Amino acid sequence: MKGIGDGSILAKDLTADKVKTRPKEKNPVKICDTTFRDGHQSTLATRMRTSDMEWMAEEMDKCGFYCMEVWGGATFDVPHRFLGEDPWERPRTLKRLMPNTPLAMLLRGQNLVAYRNHPDDLVDAFVEQAVEVGIDIFRVFDAVNDERNHERAAKAIKKYGKVYRAEICYSLTQPRMGGPVYNLEYYVRKALIFQNELDADIICIKDQAGLISPYDAYDLVKALKEELRVPVELHTHYTSGQASMSVLKAVEAGVDIVDTALSPFALRSSQPAIEPLVVALYGTDRDTGLDIEQLFKCGQMLEEIAPKYRDFLDTSRMSVIDVGVLVHQIPGGMTTNLVSQLKEAHALDRLGECQDMTAKVRAELGYPPLVTPTSQIVGVQAVQNVLVGPYKMISKEVKDYCWGLYGRPPAPIDKDIQKMILKGYERGETPITGRAADMLGPELEKAKEESKEFARTIQDVLLYALYPTTGARFLKYKYGIDKTIPDDWKPPRAPKTMEEIKKEDELIARAKAGKLVERVEKPIPEKGPGVRTFNVFVEDEYYEVEVEAVGGASATRVLPSPAPAATPVAEATKEVAPAPTVAEGEKVVAPVPGMIIRYEVKVGDKVKAGDTVVILESMKMENTIPAPVDGTVAAINFETGATVGKGDVLAVIAS
């Protein structure tokens, strides 16, 4: 590779005629910018508002990126759940403002942009609507790398002439690539399946946890370039601190496309920064051709609005890297979820136990890559194992996973664990071996019927189908059916405005200056007839002051007469608020914090011990909370969509 020191290219490029003197290389590295999706999803809990993307979109369009990833992943969930935004509007808006840059989205295969596998009719409809709002490139991955979970999405993408970028989730069972599961042969074999059998346009290595080391990146990219006829892309995260080195070695090995973010939203658990990469490759035979000054301008625009989101940036650690990921392999976003869940359960001191349990559960479930949704499936089960007891509480998604509804795991599931989890499972206790989606019936028409009171378009119907509880809540608010603003849409769930940030900064500045308590200005009263003048001497100086008793005329002080002894008040005359009525019986309590999805019973119903009383969503996984005893439902204490804490009484069963 031609070095930067060869000739005077760099010196010439710093002159006024830089555009003329900087040659275009035959094989430039293409850049997929992730600032508007994975950049803020990784660093700021996906909280970037569409309005903040709008005001800088035209400048981003001038950068010359190969594409920009702007949608998918959690950016479908968070806007409607926490920001009060319609997720379908974001790509439509950005397409209008960035006509020169192809837009990409992250699609979780048969999961789409949610947390379970969906039937084929929803996949077809979702891809069609994603194309309609402006998506050009579909980054499709499956959490267990089961190519069968790509099939339907790939077919739909090809139908509309869009780019199908097949992503292989990178994972390890040891510090470096190799071993019985995730070795070079595994990744090459998967890549060939996606290219030859599913007609992928691009093959991407998706390293969601930042695990790929520089020399493994070189070996893997080199092997893929030798075997494939389609472009090779590398997507990695900075979590472990290796990403910039790994990207550079991948470039040396011939990678065609790399994913980066603008520096304000880069590093930490996000992607490597684009600006240093551009300069590192400047004047070489892989020069990106991007203008560092335009990138800097866009970065400065990000810095202007960054204060809005500072509450979502994890500043609890001094380091911007997490070397712990090299040991426990838990991605940054998953760690954030673990911390959040444990805080709500008042058990943050047990984070270390949960990280150890995550490794154990992952091994028991067949070493799935820790990426959405398997990261949630494994992570939630690990938390529940620590807080409640090993497999004492099992989410619906874990049961579905062990039955095969998420596809074929990379390694066999522990037989004893699988048998225990599937005991009494509603679909059967024998796992399936075929394509998961073949076991699912159509859902689109059912969703249309269920949402007809508040859904106006097919996009509304799809939002409801993917997120029935939060989707229905958003759509009712959007169309004025329910004008109550959910607490989730307010800080700290939503970002602050710049006006709020300014007031907050002014308050902090006053506190630091010792001026937090301000002097209250009072009007000066008129002097009354009782004013008396006094000389006040202070060492060699004196001051003439006027004194008047409050109330004016008299300076005479009258001492009050002693109060008579208090007369006891009869207890019967006290006004005492009646204690709230509490239903008697056995309490059904929330074992972990979460949100009420629905109650399966109503007051007066007869239940037996073990019958499902309520479905509780915790860390986006559904958990069935059973009746502890036989009896009659005496009380239901929350409504659908309510947020509950650990230990809250959800219902009462009277014997």
Side-chain angles (χ1 to χ4, degrees):
M1 189 164 70
K2 186 169 60 179
I4 288 177
D6 299 339
S8 57
I9 295 175
L10 182 58
K12 288 182 180 180
D13 196 61
L14 296 178
T15 65
D17 62 341
K18 61 183 179 182
V19 177
K20 297 179 182 179
T21 58
R22 184 178 179 186
K24 287 192 175 295
E25 298 299 339
K26 295 180 179 179
N27 187 25
V29 177
K30 296 181 176 67
I31 301 297
C32 171
D33 176 78
T34 65
T35 304
F36 284 176
R37 206 284 298 179
D38 210 356
H40 68 101
Q41 179 171 320
S42 297
T43 55
L44 303 171
T46 328
R47 291 308 200 274
M48 192 176 186
R49 290 190 181 279
T50 303
S51 58
D52 286 328
M53 299 178 189
E54 286 184 71
W55 85 281
M56 60 182 296
E58 291 182 2
E59 292 300 326
M60 293 290 281
D61 195 38
K62 297 175 185 177
C63 289
F65 297 123
Y66 165 72
C67 69
M68 285 183 62
E69 185 197 50
V70 301
W71 204 49
T75 62
F76 195 90
D77 180 5
V78 172
H80 88 274
R81 187 187 291 256
F82 296 135
L83 304 181
E85 293 185 8
D86 187 334
W88 293 100
E89 290 302 318
R90 180 172 295 180
R92 184 181 286 116
T93 298
L94 294 176
K95 189 67 176 178
R96 174 174 53 82
L97 296 173
M98 301 191 299
N100 302 309
T101 306
L103 301 187
M105 76 162 292
L106 185 68
L107 190 75
R108 300 171 185 146
Q110 208 75 25
N111 271 227
L112 298 176
V113 287
Y115 306 103
R116 67 174 176 90
N117 273 353
H118 293 86
D120 291 338
D121 63 337
L122 289 187
V123 174
D124 293 343
F126 187 91
V127 171
E128 179 182 19
Q129 294 306 309
V131 170
E132 193 275 332
V133 296
I135 299 302
D136 303 293
I137 300 173
F138 289 79
R139 297 180 49 188
V140 183
F141 79 93
D142 176 64
V144 293
N145 287 330
D146 187 341
E147 58 275 5
R148 298 172 299 179
N149 289 335
H150 281 238
E151 288 177 4
R152 193 70 176 209
K155 183 179 179 181
I157 294 163
K158 289 290 186 176
K159 174 183 176 181
Y160 295 103
K162 300 301 179 180
V163 175
Y164 163 43
R165 186 163 95 186
E167 303 206 333
I168 306 169
C169 295
Y170 186 84
S171 191
L172 299 171
T173 56
Q174 54 197 45
R176 292 281 302 276
M177 184 172 62
V181 181
Y182 297 107
N183 47 48
L184 191 63
E185 292 73 23
Y186 171 87
Y187 293 112
V188 172
R189 184 178 72 254
K190 286 289 181 182
L192 288 171
I193 290 173
F194 287 123
Q195 174 189 265
N196 298 337
E197 298 182 18
L198 298 182
D199 196 23
D201 298 295
I202 301 169
I203 299 295
C204 178
I205 296 299
K206 176 182 171 61
D207 175 27
Q208 62 280 342
L211 298 176
I212 196 165
S213 67
Y215 292 106
D216 286 343
Y218 181 89
D219 291 343
L220 180 52
V221 170
K222 193 170 187 299
L224 291 175
K225 289 295 293 180
E226 290 173 353
E227 295 289 338
L228 301 175
R229 62 177 181 273
V230 299
V232 174
E233 183 167 358
L234 176 62
H235 172 94
T236 187
H237 288 245
Y238 201 82
T239 315
S240 70
Q242 299 185 107
S244 295
M245 295 183 288
S246 298
V247 165
L248 197 57
K249 291 300 293 183
V251 170
E252 291 180 1
V255 75
D256 299 282
I257 311 163
V258 295
D259 293 8
T260 63
L262 288 176
S263 55
F265 283 7
L267 308 187
R268 296 186 181 271
S269 59
S270 179
Q271 279 68 59
I274 176 57
E275 298 91 341
L277 181 64
V278 167
V279 175
L281 298 177
Y282 211 102
T284 71
D285 56 7
R286 302 304 312 278
D287 191 332
T288 63
L290 300 186
D291 183 350
I292 190 67
E293 293 180 7
Q294 180 64 23
L295 296 172
F296 178 75
K297 180 178 181 179
C298 292
Q300 291 301 106
M301 295 179 76
L302 269 186
E303 291 284 6
E304 287 186 43
I305 54 95
K308 293 183 182 182
Y309 305 98
R310 64 190 180 194
D311 290 347
F312 301 102
L313 181 65
D314 181 10
T315 56
S316 61
R317 301 171 65 253
M318 181 178 293
S319 176
V320 296
I321 64 172
D322 178 14
V323 294
V325 75
L326 298 173
V327 178
H328 53 62
Q329 298 189 21
I330 299 174
M334 182 178 174
T335 296
T336 301
N337 286 338
L338 287 176
V339 169
S340 175
Q341 184 75 2
L342 291 172
K343 278 183 179 178
E344 291 181 17
H346 306 292
L348 188 56
D349 58 318
R350 306 190 73 178
L351 177 60
E353 292 178 66
C354 289
Q355 290 174 331
D356 292 341
M357 182 60 72
T358 296
K360 185 174 187 297
V361 171
R362 182 182 180 232
E364 291 169 344
L365 297 185
Y367 289 105
L370 294 179
V371 62
T372 303
T374 51
S375 57
Q376 282 88 347
I377 290 173
V378 172
V380 170
Q381 191 60 59
V383 170
Q384 292 171 347
N385 282 4
V386 169
L387 298 184
V388 185
Y391 296 103
K392 297 294 185 184
M393 180 177 173
I394 303 170
S395 72
K396 173 182 178 294
E397 287 78 6
V398 169
K399 296 175 183 178
D400 291 346
Y401 174 90
C402 287
W403 194 66
L405 272 186
Y406 283 86
R408 179 181 56 242
I413 298 173
D414 181 290
K415 295 295 184 184
D416 293 334
I417 296 292
Q418 189 175 33
K419 183 178 180 181
M420 175 187 63
I421 289 174
L422 292 179
K423 184 178 180 180
Y425 177 60
E426 59 186 15
R427 293 178 179 271
E429 298 184 1
T430 302
I432 62 172
T433 58
R435 176 176 174 264
D438 290 341
M439 308 303 297
L440 303 173
E443 294 182 15
L444 185 59
E445 292 305 316
K446 178 185 176 184
K448 287 180 180 178
E449 179 63 25
E450 292 176 348
S451 63
K452 63 184 179 182
E453 293 182 7
F454 50 80
R456 303 286 186 268
T457 68
I458 183 62
Q459 293 172 2
D460 291 342
V461 173
L462 287 168
L463 174 57
Y464 168 77
L466 299 179
Y467 293 96
T469 303
T470 57
R473 182 183 68 176
F474 169 79
L475 291 169
K476 288 176 183 178
Y477 178 82
K478 175 183 176 181
Y479 293 117
I481 299 170
D482 181 357
K483 297 182 179 180
T484 305
I485 301 176
D487 290 337
D488 286 350
W489 299 0
K490 306 169 187 175
R493 296 284 188 164
K496 297 182 176 74
T497 64
M498 288 305 293
E499 289 74 17
E500 290 170 327
I501 290 294
K502 184 179 179 181
K503 290 179 181 178
E504 191 177 88
D505 286 344
E506 289 172 351
L507 187 64
I508 293 171
R510 289 201 304 270
K512 287 181 176 179
K515 300 178 180 179
L516 191 57
V517 179
E518 295 183 353
R519 178 182 175 183
V520 179
E521 298 292 338
K522 296 182 179 179
I524 300 175
E526 294 183 6
K527 296 178 183 179
V531 172
R532 301 174 64 188
T533 303
F534 293 87
N535 289 334
V536 178
F537 295 90
V538 180
E539 295 183 349
D540 295 334
E541 297 183 6
Y542 82 95
Y543 302 87
E544 187 178 280
V545 296
E546 295 176 320
V547 178
E548 180 181 21
V550 175
S554 175
T556 305
R557 185 160 62 100
V558 179
L559 295 176
S561 301
T567 304
V569 180
E571 288 296 321
T573 65
K574 287 185 177 180
E575 293 290 336
V576 180
T581 302
V582 179
E584 296 292 332
E586 196 74 21
K587 296 178 177 63
V588 180
V589 300
V592 291
M595 181 179 71
I596 301 294
I597 296 297
R598 65 183 178 277
Y599 282 90
E600 296 290 329
V601 297
K602 60 183 182 297
V603 173
D605 283 356
K606 301 286 187 182
V607 295
K608 293 184 178 181
D611 287 352
T612 298
V613 173
V614 60
I615 307 296
L616 179 70
E617 180 191 273
S618 178
M619 285 181 72
K620 302 176 183 176
M621 299 289 108
E622 292 187 11
N623 301 277
T624 56
I625 310 300
V629 294
D630 295 355
T632 303
V633 179
I636 288 176
N637 295 338
F638 294 93
E639 296 181 353
T640 296
T643 299
V644 298
K646 179 184 179 183
D648 282 353
V649 179
L650 308 180
V652 178
I653 309 298
S655 56

